[in-house]
Amino acid sequence: METESMEANVTHADIVVVGGGSAGCTAAIHAQQRLPRGRVVLLEKAHIKRSGAIAIGMDGLNNAIIPGFATPEQYVKEITMANDGIVNQRAVLEYAVNSYPMIEQLDKWGVKFQKTESGAFDVKKVHHKGAYVLPMPEGYDLKKILTRMVMRSGVKIVNRVMATRLLTDGGRIAGVMGFDVRDGHFEVIVAKAVILCCGASGRLGLPASGYLYGTYENPSNAGDGYSLAYHAGAELTGIECFQINPLIKDYNGPACAYVTGPLGGHTVNAKGHRFIQSDYWSGQMMMEFYKELHSENGPVYLKLDHLAPETLTEIEQVLHRTERPSRGRFHTGRGHTYGDDLVEMHISEIGLCSGHSASGVWVDERGETTVEGLYAAGDMACVPHNYLLGAMTYGRICAEHALGRVAGTDEPRIDEDAVAAERARIFEPLERPNGIPHHQYEYKVRRLVNDYLQPPKTGTRMELGLTYFRRAEGELEEVGATNPHELMRVVECAFIRDCAEMAAVASLHRQESRWGLYHHRLDYPKLDNERWFVHVNVRKGEDGRMAVLERPVAPYVVPMNDDELKGYHGLRIPVSPSEASP
């Protein structure tokens, strides 16, 4: 394919939102509604109708702070406990205060939440301490509703264009560069503010199936936003706090404790005994899950066979229709039913995700990164355990503060040399049509992630992995492509490699164990608050190499005592003498 024929398209905008998932759509809607005479561009490498982690819908909100059921302060405490105290409470509180208005907005847009006979929101308890789950049994329309609102708002939608690097001008953001994954033309969007909403780094570890795209997370989320922010000079934090989830073995989909838990489902070991008090995802819960799975009491199962037939039907109507429609076919293919069989569970591959853990781009309570004019929301922005509702809420928060910046900012200058260099970098693989296939390179890097970063971690193993990840940067120059689609995959390989190096560097730096299984080091097995009660951040250094720095944990706005901070450390249910092995 001739790169000379790929013309460059240069456009100007006030705000560019990168990523058309739940956070990106919400950010774009709010920005355009508040800036009716301005230009808001929504950039998506797929198509916004079915892009993002909730492309097929969602069956509930995991962290809804509904008046009468929970307060923002209670929620801040819960998240602080779940993250062993390493949080920016102001950012968590900002979400908590703004989450209910977001729910009310979604309700007005037509999103269908489960309600009581009196019309009140029907909140359920799944978390260890509080009640925050709001079911959405008909949540399969959510993405379609968001897409409709984006179009009604007048946002300029640019589908099938992949962002590859951000433009900067004297340390502030200046726009986005990328290319069309169908026709290959180069795209430059000059902007006063950029909001990154690119989702998790879901293609980091390799799933047990070995399928590159058979991941727990949306496989289109390859860590794009993490890499974009890093190369623009932004700090990332909590990268050593991996995302690891319980899942249905061989299916690689969630057990959905927030759906089954309120209806009586729970996790048991092979003896049929419960061993954890709460099935709500946390590193501490995953550690107990891991221990039980690899003990004489394994495997581990989701138990539903004790529930009434009408309850099982209710669960199936949600789980088999909304979030993962293929789940019902999976069970049918194995000849299993919830009423007769336990559902075998396992552990997912590792990823980076603030929505389910605490690894992402460093942001404050305004969604601002450490680069002027750059904002981040959703799974890639470090507001721990933010989930779907947090993505949409912070999308609005980022848009609101980006609007304030746009009003007093001059048009940024385009760095023509940077544009030329990026164009050459991106299209170079097309000059190697017989180079290493992208899928072989990706498989190798992700197998190395499994071999050297999968917890339990050790320093010697991670050092060796880091050597391989850095060597893989040079090996990228041997990967080839023959068309724009393959070129997209090559760029994703670069994003994945960047995230692997970040994960190794951050994990090596934090010489303790914290967050349960997420950062469990065999060579430093104990939590050490005296030395390591800090944020570990990574950024691109002046020499172009990855640098590490530490930031203190800001004073809490919701005070907590030592016992509260250890609130998630006692999840295991003690074994009674009658249950113990002889």
Side-chain angles (χ1 to χ4, degrees):
M1 189 170 191
E2 295 295 331
T3 59
E4 290 81 4
S5 65
M6 297 178 179
E7 297 182 358
N9 183 39
V10 180
T11 59
H12 294 258
D14 293 296
I15 297 173
V16 176
V17 181
V18 183
S22 51
C25 284
T26 312
I29 293 166
H30 188 73
Q32 191 67 75
Q33 288 178 342
R34 292 289 310 279
L35 196 67
R37 295 178 180 272
R39 187 178 180 86
V40 177
V41 174
L42 179 57
L43 196 68
E44 167 58 47
K45 70 178 178 182
H47 192 291
I48 69 162
K49 184 177 180 180
R50 288 297 188 191
S51 60
I54 59 151
I56 201 65
M58 188 64 182
D59 41 33
L61 299 179
N62 297 19
N63 54 341
I65 298 96
I66 308 290
F69 292 92
T71 67
E73 290 74 19
Q74 287 173 329
Y75 179 79
V76 171
K77 281 193 172 186
E78 182 102 37
I79 298 305
T80 306
M81 290 180 206
N83 286 278
D84 281 341
I86 308 294
V87 297
N88 177 355
Q89 277 199 348
R90 289 186 181 277
V92 178
L93 181 61
E94 187 70 13
Y95 157 72
V97 169
N98 286 280
S99 65
Y100 187 61
M102 187 72 243
I103 294 172
E104 292 181 308
Q105 180 67 76
L106 293 169
D107 197 40
K108 291 177 182 177
W109 286 348
V111 177
K112 296 178 181 178
F113 298 106
Q114 187 165 301
K115 297 182 180 179
T116 64
E117 292 182 359
S118 65
F121 291 117
D122 190 12
V123 180
K124 306 294 183 182
K125 184 180 186 305
V126 174
H127 291 63
H128 186 39
K129 299 292 183 180
Y132 307 103
V133 172
L134 179 56
M136 298 162 56
E138 298 182 58
Y140 43 80
D141 284 336
L142 175 58
K143 192 64 206 298
K144 289 189 286 187
I145 290 171
L146 289 176
T147 300
R148 184 168 65 242
M149 292 305 303
V150 168
M151 298 175 72
R152 285 181 179 176
S153 300
V155 173
K156 178 176 173 53
I157 303 167
V158 180
N159 289 314
R160 310 294 182 189
V161 170
M162 179 188 203
T164 61
R165 284 285 191 270
L166 301 180
L167 275 167
T168 56
D169 176 14
R172 64 170 185 154
I173 209 69
V176 181
M177 295 177 286
F179 70 98
D180 190 295
V181 301
R182 292 289 176 85
D183 66 28
H185 79 260
F186 193 66
E187 190 87 26
V188 179
I189 305 176
V190 183
K192 299 176 181 178
V194 173
I195 305 175
L196 293 178
C197 304
C198 306
S201 175
R203 286 205 337 254
L204 185 58
L206 194 67
S209 67
Y211 297 138
L212 292 179
Y213 309 117
T215 51
Y216 175 89
E217 281 286 349
N218 175 9
S220 67
N221 294 340
D224 308 35
Y226 290 72
S227 184
L228 290 170
Y230 171 79
H231 287 287
E235 293 179 25
L236 297 95
T237 190
I239 303 300
E240 72 277 23
C241 181
F242 296 166
Q243 174 193 7
I244 308 172
N245 298 104
L247 48 74
I248 299 172
K249 190 176 185 298
D250 300 329
Y251 177 65
N252 231 33
C256 293
Y258 55 89
V259 174
T260 61
L263 296 174
H266 52 260
T267 306
V268 298
N269 59 26
K271 297 178 180 179
H273 301 150
R274 295 193 69 174
F275 58 94
I276 44 177
Q277 298 178 28
S278 171
D279 289 335
Y280 165 68
W281 301 340
S282 67
Q284 296 83 358
M285 184 277 277
M286 284 307 305
M287 175 60 84
E288 300 302 337
F289 190 105
Y290 174 86
K291 289 178 179 178
E292 200 74 4
L293 181 68
H294 293 284
S295 75
E296 71 277 12
N297 296 326
V300 172
Y301 299 90
L302 173 63
K303 179 175 172 58
L304 301 172
D305 59 355
H306 60 292
L307 302 178
E310 56 269 24
T311 304
L312 294 176
T313 298
E314 183 178 353
I315 289 173
E316 289 171 351
Q317 287 176 341
V318 175
L319 294 186
H320 298 179
R321 191 170 86 164
T322 302
E323 186 174 347
R324 309 265 176 154
S326 60
R327 179 169 172 169
R329 296 193 296 273
F330 171 79
H331 291 312
T332 300
R334 298 217 162 179
H336 294 166
T337 66
Y338 294 149
D340 297 320
D341 304 287
L342 299 176
V343 180
E344 186 178 358
M345 299 173 67
H346 211 266
I347 289 176
S348 73
E349 69 282 355
I350 66 172
L352 305 178
C353 177
S354 186
H356 293 92
S357 182
S359 44
V361 177
W362 176 273
V363 294
D364 61 14
E365 64 271 20
R366 297 176 292 277
E368 296 175 349
T369 72
T370 54
V371 175
E372 185 182 351
L374 180 62
Y375 302 79
D379 284 348
M380 63 163 288
C382 188
V383 183
H385 291 262
N386 227 14
Y387 298 107
L388 168 61
L389 184 57
M392 293 186 286
T393 302
Y394 255 94
R396 288 183 64 176
I397 291 171
C398 287
E400 186 64 32
H401 291 283
L403 288 165
R405 171 182 170 74
V406 165
T409 302
D410 296 330
E411 185 80 4
R413 180 184 63 88
I414 301 177
D415 185 340
E416 298 290 353
D417 290 339
V419 171
E422 179 61 5
R423 179 170 179 164
R425 183 186 76 89
I426 289 303
F427 292 135
E428 186 180 6
L430 293 172
E431 305 300 323
R432 298 187 294 269
N434 297 317
I436 297 173
H438 60 84
H439 55 83
Q440 290 185 10
Y441 178 93
E442 180 177 340
Y443 183 86
K444 176 182 177 180
V445 171
R446 292 172 63 190
R447 273 301 303 269
L448 292 171
V449 168
N450 283 22
D451 290 344
Y452 297 102
L453 297 185
Q454 183 86 26
K457 306 174 184 178
T458 67
T460 51
R461 206 162 56 233
M462 291 188 293
E463 287 279 8
L464 190 54
L466 181 58
T467 300
Y468 291 139
F469 300 142
R470 286 174 172 164
R471 188 170 72 186
E473 184 174 18
E475 293 170 344
L476 262 173
E477 298 177 3
E478 301 176 45
V479 181
T482 62
N483 56 61
H485 179 82
E486 290 184 359
L487 200 59
M488 175 187 71
R489 296 302 187 202
V490 176
V491 176
E492 287 178 338
C493 285
F495 293 158
I496 293 166
R497 194 222 64 85
D498 284 346
C499 290
E501 183 179 353
M502 291 181 211
V505 167
S507 295
L508 281 165
H509 187 79
R510 184 178 287 279
Q511 296 180 350
E512 64 157 354
S513 288
R514 189 177 290 270
W515 307 297
L517 185 62
Y518 297 165
H519 182 66
H520 177 51
R521 288 192 59 163
L522 296 176
D523 46 354
Y524 295 97
K526 294 184 179 181
L527 182 146
D528 181 2
N529 277 333
E530 184 174 341
R531 166 63 183 91
W532 290 105
F533 198 74
V534 294
H535 299 280
V536 172
N537 290 12
V538 297
R539 61 177 174 82
K540 193 171 186 177
E542 295 295 330
D543 59 357
R545 296 177 62 84
M546 197 168 291
V548 184
L549 64 151
E550 297 174 12
R551 284 182 177 264
V553 175
Y556 289 164
V557 292
V558 180
M560 299 183 65
N561 58 44
D562 290 341
D563 289 339
E564 288 177 316
L565 285 174
K566 297 176 181 177
Y568 270 60
H569 286 216
L571 294 180
R572 176 166 283 274
I573 297 175
V575 177
S576 66
S578 62
E579 296 174 351
S581 300

